[in-house]
Amino acid sequence: MKILILGSGGREHAIAWRLSLDSSSSRIFIWPGNDGMSGEKLELIDRPFDQESFTSLVTKLGIDLVIPGPEKFLYQGVVDWCLGLDVPCFGPGAQASSLEKSKLFAKILMQEAGVPTSPFRDLTAALSRGMEEVNSLLKEFRKPVIKISGPSLGKGVFVCDSVDDASEVLRKLAQAPQPGMEDGVLVEEAVCGKEVSMFFACTNEAFTYLGSAQDHKRVFDADQGPNTGGMGAIAPVPWVSEEFIRDIGERFVTPTLELMVKRGTPFRGVLFLGLMVGPEGTNLLEYNIRFGDPETQVILPLLDGDFSDFLLCCARQEAIPKLTILPAAAVHVVKAARGYPGVFGAPIEAGQLITWRDSEYASAKLFFAGVKRSKEGLVTNGGRVLGFTAWAPTAAEAIRNCYALLPECKFQGEHFRRDIGQNL
Ligand code: GLY
């Protein structure tokens, strides 16, 4: 099977590596990939991406399966392009991608499907009429969270301490509209508790559980400092029981998939639920419509079976084959460049030479993300530069093994968290 993966980060490296282990995969193309990705079956595609070049390349190479990594390809409609080419693509079409693209769409759908989520209000119309109406709507909320509905480059969520704070945030947004506000603005009640990410492979109303993970979003230990794309992850989350998984399937996944089918926009691909488990019970924070980064780097090493064939069957809407989740744990630690995550325009250092031991590990893997080849060798070229994943029978062993490997790959200015997988 010839597979095309779209994207260039650590998640895409992990997908390519995992698929390369399968006997059913023969060639794996990554578009554009990064210069740290290498392997017997892997080939990078170096050309600008648009519908025309995608169509011609998929046809010329005889691609059997397309796997988009980041959501931007799904928003662009890659799955719909593939439909026209009769090539299976593992992901939702552009319309079903609204589950992640539009926070208002997602909240309205959760409400209609009866999926537990915190109370919310659409503020879009009120905001256009003035702050008096906005302030009156805000009074319904104890701890308001303001959200820009559309894609906002990770800058669209404002957790406020009071209604006055929320009002101030909205006043500023009204004065200086930000990306994503064309889709609207909403307020929701904050929920507290423990966060968990749950992954399900779906095709129409059928789904299969792929695993749970916990991302570590803050840049510094003990969840301090600004948010990042994710500084590391562990899988599975130790307190996620069989009963919890069944409950999430019944009360969150099934009603979502059934409603999407009923609306004529069936969901296919990975449904990645961001959940909060706390005193108010379990609430859905958000839908994502793709694999997580860096959650993928810990979910995939624990999946046993032919994953390429599994994804192909899902994309073809055939019966979903069995896949075993190994009774083990995996930990991933990201090494980031000096300056990352670059808040308030702070520069993120690039061009630092990376040194590493080019080895194959029995129960670990080095995944590259923000890197590129230079005359001197591989250099840093992004915020999250690379990360090690280690897996072992227990979480404690996986954590120990992962941290023991970190010194094997280094660059000037690197920083990483020392508490990944702990304090869950
Ligand atoms: N790690 C969070 C995400 O992929 O959205």
Side-chain angles (χ1 to χ4, degrees):
M1 184 192 318
K2 290 189 221 165
I3 303 171
L4 171 62
I5 298 167
L6 304 177
S8 63
R11 163 185 47 204
E12 287 73 39
H13 194 182
I15 296 171
W17 163 78
R18 179 60 190 80
L19 297 180
S20 73
L21 304 179
D22 298 330
S23 56
S24 70
S25 67
S26 54
R27 294 174 76 183
I28 299 170
F29 301 92
I30 315 167
W31 192 355
N34 70 58
D35 291 330
M37 297 174 174
S38 64
E40 211 183 309
K41 295 180 183 175
L42 308 195
E43 295 167 58
L44 302 188
I45 309 272
D46 178 17
R47 68 161 84 166
F49 183 88
D50 59 29
Q51 184 172 1
E52 201 182 318
S53 47
F54 175 83
T55 304
S56 101
L57 192 107
V58 165
T59 312
K60 188 169 133 219
L61 293 174
I63 295 294
D64 300 295
L65 172 65
V66 177
I67 304 170
E71 62 278 13
K72 69 175 181 189
F73 294 108
L74 299 162
Y75 298 166
Q76 256 181 299
V78 161
V79 175
D80 310 281
W81 304 347
C82 285
L83 215 56
L85 299 170
D86 206 18
V87 173
C89 183
F90 183 74
Q95 274 191 300
S97 299
S98 299
L99 279 179
E100 178 168 352
K101 190 177 181 190
S102 166
K103 293 187 174 64
L104 271 168
F105 176 92
K107 279 299 242 192
I108 293 163
L109 189 116
M110 288 176 211
Q111 200 173 44
E112 193 181 333
V115 167
T117 191
S118 63
F120 78 101
R121 281 276 190 176
D122 181 353
L123 296 177
T124 318
L127 204 55
S128 71
R129 288 192 285 260
M131 287 308 292
E132 201 175 320
E133 193 175 331
V134 169
N135 289 336
S136 124
L137 289 173
L138 286 179
K139 283 194 194 122
E140 295 169 24
F141 295 84
R142 274 180 298 128
K143 196 156 189 290
V145 181
I146 304 297
K147 291 186 171 178
I148 294 176
S149 181
S152 54
L153 311 168
K155 297 189 174 98
V157 178
F158 307 86
V159 180
C160 306
D161 286 329
S162 64
V163 166
D164 286 348
D165 285 356
S167 175
E168 183 57 15
V169 165
L170 287 158
R171 196 184 54 76
K172 285 187 183 152
L173 288 177
Q175 275 173 0
Q178 299 298 307
M181 279 176 65
E182 60 287 347
D183 194 54
V185 176
L186 64 143
V187 55
E188 68 178 26
E189 191 66 56
V191 280
C192 58
K194 298 181 287 188
E195 255 188 271
V196 59
S197 304
M198 306 275 286
F199 296 83
F200 298 85
C202 308
T203 161
N204 306 326
E205 287 171 337
F207 64 91
T208 211
Y209 177 61
L210 294 177
S212 67
Q214 190 161 71
D215 187 6
H216 295 58
K217 283 215 184 308
R218 301 297 192 101
V219 69
F220 301 129
D221 289 358
D223 292 333
Q224 301 296 307
N227 263 332
T228 68
M231 293 297 289
I234 183 166
V237 174
W239 49 263
V240 167
S241 63
E242 287 298 323
E243 194 191 334
F244 182 80
I245 298 165
R246 207 169 25 252
D247 178 52
I248 300 302
E250 282 170 14
R251 291 195 302 134
F252 294 75
V253 183
T254 295
T256 302
L257 297 183
E258 285 180 356
L259 185 54
M260 292 299 277
V261 168
K262 199 168 136 204
R263 287 178 165 212
T265 54
F267 184 86
R268 298 168 195 136
V270 183
L271 193 60
F272 154 12
L273 302 182
L275 296 154
M276 183 70 88
V277 184
E280 297 104 343
T282 303
N283 276 292
L284 184 59
L285 299 176
E286 62 181 14
Y287 294 109
N288 296 287
I289 53 159
R290 48 166 176 91
F291 286 109
D293 189 349
E295 291 93 333
T296 304
Q297 291 88 313
V298 288
I299 294 280
L300 297 197
L302 303 182
L303 295 180
D304 196 24
D306 195 311
F307 193 48
S308 307
D309 191 46
F310 174 89
L311 295 179
L312 181 67
C313 289
C314 291
R316 281 184 177 154
Q317 303 173 57
E318 293 168 355
I320 305 182
K322 226 181 130 33
L323 204 60
T324 306
I325 302 177
L326 298 170
V331 170
H332 181 79
V333 179
V334 169
K335 281 195 172 183
R338 193 184 340 251
Y340 181 74
V343 275
F344 305 122
I348 298 171
E349 194 171 68
Q352 293 297 331
L353 189 65
I354 302 167
T355 56
W356 82 98
R357 216 156 59 85
D358 198 2
S359 352
E360 288 297 322
Y361 305 98
S363 302
K365 178 74 189 163
L366 174 58
F367 295 119
F368 288 101
V371 300
K372 75 169 183 201
R373 189 154 305 286
S374 75
K375 282 203 287 296
E376 289 76 37
L378 209 58
V379 296
T380 63
N381 185 40
R384 292 189 291 176
V385 175
L386 53 89
F388 269 105
T389 296
W391 53 98
T394 66
E397 284 170 87
I399 293 169
R400 202 166 44 244
N401 296 348
C402 192
Y403 277 99
L405 282 171
L406 287 193
E408 297 212 355
C409 181
K410 291 189 269 210
F411 56 91
Q412 281 286 323
E414 66 181 29
H415 64 98
F416 58 90
R417 276 184 62 161
R418 289 174 168 75
D419 63 348
I420 302 295
Q422 292 150 38
N423 315 316
L424 296 184

